[in-house]
Amino acid sequence: MHNLKEIMLCSKINFKKWIITPRMYAILAIIIIFGYYTFSDIPKIAAYLEVNATPWVFPFFMTHPTMFIIFGSLTTMLYCNAPFEDGHMPFLVIRIGRYDWIIGQVLYIYLSSFVYTSCFFLISILMLLPRIEFTTDWGQLLYAISKSPSEIMEQTGAALNFMPYEELLDILTPIQATILSFTMFWLVTAFIGVLICCFNILIGEMVGIIAAGIFTGIAYFSAFLGTISLGKWIYYLSPISWSSISYLDWHGTGSIPSPTYAIICLLIAIALLSIVSVVVFCKRDLEIYKGEF
């Protein structure tokens, strides 16, 4: 049985490197910028309507198709150098072995994708301050925006860069929508991470970035020309689109992926890509990298 403590050590070391990696500060800054871009006008609308905002806006973070480009590019930036081979890697491999080291890297992708998703979630809440009220229902604000977004923008002068769909407000409770949205965002992030890791190991450095870029492009294409020229079935080939519950089928029509389909496909893809990454890495020659983590 492989040493769980040593596997966790590899993941822990990767997290510690965030402190000295400028790329991580840039990623955090971009998350804050686009959180502000998406939700900063909600307090203004809340003040105009004389109500408070509820903290359940995260499920609608990715409703605008432009966010697919931002999300895909930013996540690719986070995992661009997976499996994170640097000057420290040979010493760790000698100490704990290839198998435990690569499993530690894959585990790091799972854990860091959770932290990454949590950052988006927390930023979506912070942007509602000071007009925020913690309740277990959607609140008047989101219903008002969903019913007449154009009228609210005209009356308040605010910009709405997200859209709470009234249909989803009626189908799901805030807790259900938030948990499902968090899960989908997390799984899609982990999928991009292991995709980059697998292709970088299997074929070569930078190939994983290209693969992630292709999926990001498909997501953006699907939201516009894709559905017009090819039909909605293209969403079945666009896992990044599944990061938003607004692009899932809630009525069982089969025209676009259902939440169950999306979750199962992502879990299978993540598992397969992780297994391939581990098997191929353990069989290839060890290379020494001196670049930045």
Side-chain angles (χ1 to χ4, degrees):
M1 183 176 180
H2 294 278
N3 194 328
L4 179 60
K5 184 178 179 181
E6 293 179 342
I7 292 173
M8 292 299 298
L9 173 65
C10 291
S11 297
K12 185 178 179 180
I13 289 174
N14 285 352
F15 277 111
K16 285 185 175 181
K17 290 179 180 179
W18 283 16
I19 300 174
I20 59 172
T21 305
R23 187 174 74 254
M24 297 304 171
Y25 294 99
I27 290 171
L28 179 59
I30 294 171
I31 292 174
I32 294 172
I33 289 170
F34 281 98
Y36 181 85
Y37 168 80
T38 305
F39 299 120
S40 62
D41 276 351
I42 292 183
K44 181 178 179 180
I45 298 172
Y48 175 83
L49 297 175
E50 297 182 344
V51 297
N52 287 324
T54 54
W56 313 117
V57 296
F58 180 75
F60 310 106
F61 206 146
M62 301 285 290
T63 50
H64 198 289
T66 304
M67 288 302 297
F68 292 140
I69 296 292
I70 297 164
F71 167 65
S73 301
L74 197 61
T75 308
T76 300
M77 182 178 175
L78 177 63
Y79 296 116
C80 62
N81 58 339
F84 320 109
E85 298 171 294
D86 59 11
H88 298 101
M89 184 266 283
F91 302 102
L92 274 173
V93 170
I94 292 172
R95 176 182 170 183
I96 68 175
R98 292 175 179 239
Y99 197 94
D100 288 347
W101 184 86
I102 188 60
I103 291 179
Q105 308 312 303
V106 173
L107 178 62
Y108 162 75
I109 292 175
Y110 300 161
L111 296 177
S112 61
S113 60
F114 182 89
V115 174
Y116 178 75
T117 303
S118 299
C119 287
F120 275 94
F121 176 67
L122 292 175
I123 289 299
S124 72
I125 295 176
L126 291 175
M127 291 302 160
L128 306 182
L129 297 173
R131 304 287 305 205
I132 187 170
E133 178 183 2
F134 288 88
T135 66
T136 56
D137 55 41
W138 287 111
Q140 298 179 36
L141 178 66
L142 291 177
Y143 273 109
I145 294 174
S146 68
K147 290 179 182 296
S148 52
S150 300
E151 182 180 341
I152 286 178
M153 285 191 289
E154 182 179 348
Q155 291 174 349
T156 63
L160 286 176
N161 297 307
F162 76 106
M163 182 51 60
Y165 294 111
E166 186 176 4
E167 181 183 33
L168 290 178
L169 299 182
D170 293 334
I171 293 174
L172 301 171
T173 67
I175 303 297
Q176 289 173 334
T178 300
I179 292 175
L180 182 58
S181 295
F182 191 99
T183 301
M184 297 307 301
F185 200 103
W186 179 18
L187 289 177
V188 173
T189 300
F191 166 76
I192 295 174
V194 293
L195 175 75
I196 294 173
C197 181
C198 181
F199 275 78
N200 281 352
I201 292 173
L202 190 62
I203 303 177
E205 189 177 1
M206 298 299 294
V207 179
I209 296 176
I210 295 172
I214 290 173
F215 277 108
T216 300
I218 291 174
Y220 188 72
F221 174 74
S222 300
F224 292 109
L225 292 177
T227 53
I228 296 173
S229 59
L230 300 176
K232 290 185 177 181
W233 66 266
I234 194 172
Y235 283 118
Y236 281 93
L237 306 177
S238 179
I240 292 181
S241 300
W242 308 341
S243 59
S244 172
I245 62 173
S246 301
Y247 292 85
L248 298 176
D249 183 8
W250 295 98
H251 299 288
T253 64
S255 59
I256 59 176
S258 67
T260 302
Y261 173 90
I263 291 173
I264 291 175
C265 286
L266 285 170
L267 289 175
I268 292 174
I270 290 169
L272 289 177
L273 289 168
S274 299
I275 291 171
V276 171
S277 297
V278 172
V279 171
V280 174
F281 180 83
C282 290
K283 291 183 177 181
R284 75 172 196 182
D285 293 334
L286 185 64
E287 297 180 18
I288 298 176
Y289 287 75
K290 298 182 179 179
E292 176 203 7
F293 172 77

